[in-house]
Amino acid sequence: MNKKVSTTEEQVKIRQETKQIFKRFGKKRGNLMPILQKVQGKLGYLPQEAMLEIADFLEIPGIDVYSVITFYNQFRLNPPGRHSIRVCLGTACHMKGGYITLDAWKRRLDIDRGETTPDREFDLDSVACVGCCVMAPVTVVDGKPQGKVEPTKVDGLLLAFEHEQEKKSKNENG
Amino acid sequence: MKTVSLTIDGKKIETRHGEKILWAALENGIYIPNLCGLRDEAESVASCRLCFVEVVGKEQAVTACTEMVTEGMVVNTRGAEALRMARSGFELLLSSLPMDCAHCVKSGSCELQKIAHHLNIKLKSKRFRKLLRELPIDDSSSLFTYDPNKCVLCGRCVWVCRERLGVGVLGFANRGFQRVVTTFAGEPFGESKCQECGDCVSVCPTGALTFKNGKTEEE
Ligand code: SF4
Ligand code: SF4
Ligand code: FES
């Protein structure tokens, strides 16, 4: 669930940017949460290199940083994709087959919940109720709630992205 | 040293001042089910909820690993209420464990078997629906095998790995049903900072951590 997605170049940058954040903090274990939030705010996620830097700085085992990150939903282990897919699993969406929708996304994107496609085009996650239950099952695509997203609509939404992609590359080439 | 005398299951015993009921009982040959407690630990995490006992004068059953002995205390480890709570806790635990004793090297020295026997519960108890985790086994260490499916999350290994050795390879990750004992970023033991001291294997009460030579104790 926590694959290494960074290149060497990126790793160096991650380490530098993480260290930048330490300037504002003391070496107190209690600072772990705010540091994690700041680092994720800057990098968009919490890569392993950042976790190790933070563990070094606070002088705690790396596993303790990993432990806190995996405990809270707010933290991401994988980089954000260009498009974000959030499948609602709130009560109404759950009843209306939210899990079937989630499975369809997983299958089509070939990633699990909390992961990003290798080309960093899509990231997939679940959310607990986005507040538009009448449209259940809901998937929030790039911040926009889409209603009645059943597996066929998953295909439709992905097709739309493909079209857009094609148009873009045509324009760039033409 | 100051001593305290108390009665456990009708047996008069003497123990150190400040001792917890659990250790006083075990030392005197009186068994109380327990998974998460470790003798050297200053404060028990009391997370397994199996060591319930009844104390005369107390309205509710207490966890023996956290309750300090007092002079003249009368403890009953066989009270109906205490056993009822321990049984429910244990059956819930069993409901997410494979309990494949016939193929497990820990069989015969496993704390789960001992507890089941003590509480008179079948290891294949059907009271709660089975829900297994189906996690991959880590065979990468040259010294031991880690099968997270058999882990009861007692935390003993986590504690010894950091407190006794100052290493801190092990810890908890995730939340709820997904909670596991693991290494940094879930890396295999063979690639982790593990020093292969074997201490975590020695304290593991189940077949989750077992030596590769098939023995239950390090030779
Ligand atoms: S063998 Fe020793 S160092 Fe390795 S995980 Fe177990 S207690 Fe920690
Ligand atoms: S691996 Fe063993 S000692 Fe560690 S938490 Fe699991 S059951 Fe307890
Ligand atoms: S030994 Fe007392 S709660 Fe686990």
Side-chain angles (χ1 to χ4, degrees):
Chain A
M1 78 174 279
N2 179 225
K3 295 179 208 106
K4 283 191 181 141
V5 265
S6 9
T7 58
T8 331
E9 219 176 291
E10 216 180 340
Q11 280 174 13
V12 175
K13 204 173 140 228
I14 286 167
R15 287 188 186 270
Q16 280 169 351
E17 290 192 303
T18 305
K19 280 191 202 147
Q20 286 273 307
I21 295 196
F22 298 156
K23 286 183 192 150
R24 284 181 261 169
F25 292 99
K27 281 180 179 282
K28 267 201 329 219
R29 201 192 163 103
N31 283 336
L32 179 57
M33 280 301 276
I35 289 176
L36 289 174
Q37 284 164 335
K38 282 274 180 307
V39 172
Q40 174 159 296
K42 186 143 184 195
L43 303 174
Y45 74 121
L46 291 160
Q48 287 186 20
E49 297 76 24
M51 290 188 217
L52 290 171
E53 284 295 339
I54 295 167
D56 266 3
F57 175 70
L58 294 176
E59 289 162 10
I60 57 176
I63 174 70
D64 287 3
V65 177
Y66 182 69
S67 192
V68 168
I69 293 172
T70 56
F71 185 86
Y72 294 100
N73 272 335
Q74 60 172 297
F75 296 125
R76 295 187 51 88
L77 287 167
N78 293 299
R82 271 174 286 277
H83 300 293
S84 84
I85 310 291
R86 297 286 175 274
V87 183
C88 183
L89 295 177
T91 314
C93 290
H94 177 94
M95 294 305 290
K96 285 281 196 176
Y99 275 95
I100 301 172
T101 305
L102 178 62
D103 278 341
W105 283 112
K106 280 198 214 169
R107 222 174 18 246
R108 288 300 312 265
L109 297 174
D110 199 21
I111 51 172
D112 218 326
R113 217 193 288 192
E115 292 183 351
T116 305
T117 52
D119 60 2
R120 297 202 190 174
E121 201 59 34
F122 297 98
D123 64 59
L124 177 65
D125 216 336
S126 57
V127 281
C129 197
V130 289
C132 40
C133 309
V134 283
M135 290 154 62
V138 172
T139 296
V140 184
V141 179
D142 289 337
K144 221 176 114 214
Q146 302 279 352
K148 308 255 181 305
V149 184
E150 270 133 29
T152 42
K153 185 144 177 196
V154 168
D155 290 344
L157 286 164
L158 280 173
L159 209 61
F161 278 124
E162 263 170 50
H163 279 317
E164 205 182 294
Q165 192 71 16
E166 267 169 38
K167 244 201 276 171
K168 245 212 265 151
S169 57
K170 239 186 232 160
N171 285 346
E172 273 163 22
N173 296 334
Chain B
M1 202 195 334
K2 253 171 94 185
T3 61
V4 171
S5 36
L6 69 157
T7 314
I8 306 181
D9 292 352
K11 186 175 170 184
K12 278 218 170 321
I13 64 168
E14 236 173 65
T15 187
R16 288 163 299 277
H17 177 80
E19 187 59 282
K20 302 291 181 340
I21 296 174
L22 178 63
W23 310 116
L26 293 177
E27 233 172 44
N28 285 277
I30 302 166
Y31 185 68
I32 298 170
N34 69 92
L35 284 173
C36 67
L38 264 179
R39 185 67 206 258
D40 306 342
E41 225 172 342
E43 197 80 46
S44 174
V45 288
S47 61
C48 76
R49 318 308 288 169
L50 297 177
C51 66
F52 282 111
V53 295
E54 291 174 21
V55 174
V56 170
K58 284 201 188 276
E59 230 170 86
Q60 280 167 344
V62 294
T63 43
C65 66
T66 55
E67 195 73 18
M68 218 187 274
V69 294
T70 56
E71 187 59 41
M73 184 182 237
V74 180
V75 180
N76 178 13
T77 73
R78 285 287 182 182
E81 186 60 13
L83 286 181
R84 188 185 64 81
M85 293 208 278
R87 284 197 179 109
S88 291
F90 189 62
E91 283 175 296
L92 277 167
L93 199 61
L94 289 181
S95 71
S96 63
L97 294 170
M99 301 318 297
D100 185 20
C101 303
H103 301 103
C104 182
V105 292
K106 192 78 175 188
S107 189
S109 61
C110 176
E111 198 73 20
L112 297 175
Q113 291 174 322
K114 190 170 175 181
I115 295 171
H117 181 75
H118 183 85
L119 295 175
N120 199 13
I121 281 170
K122 284 200 201 76
L123 284 165
K124 302 263 177 201
S125 163
K126 296 243 162 34
R127 182 167 162 208
F128 300 110
R129 186 166 57 97
K130 267 265 192 240
L131 199 57
L132 297 177
R133 293 168 285 186
E134 300 183 28
L135 298 161
I137 293 169
D138 183 355
D139 215 13
S140 63
S141 160
S142 62
L143 185 70
F144 59 86
T145 303
Y146 174 47
D147 182 349
N149 301 293
K150 295 180 182 173
C151 173
V152 291
L153 301 171
C154 69
R156 287 188 190 183
C157 56
V158 175
W159 189 82
V160 290
C161 187
R162 68 185 56 198
E163 299 303 325
R164 205 184 285 169
L165 305 154
V167 181
V169 174
L170 293 165
F172 291 98
N174 306 336
R175 190 169 38 159
F177 191 64
Q178 266 72 41
R179 196 144 173 91
V180 283
V181 160
T182 186
T183 54
F184 174 72
E187 61 195 355
F189 279 102
E191 290 162 31
S192 75
K193 290 204 181 122
C194 172
Q195 299 174 357
E196 306 214 320
C197 67
D199 276 20
C200 56
V201 187
S202 300
V203 295
C204 181
T206 74
L209 285 165
T210 49
F211 288 111
K212 282 195 163 164
N213 58 16
K215 298 282 189 303
T216 45
E217 290 299 323
E218 202 175 6
E219 309 218 307

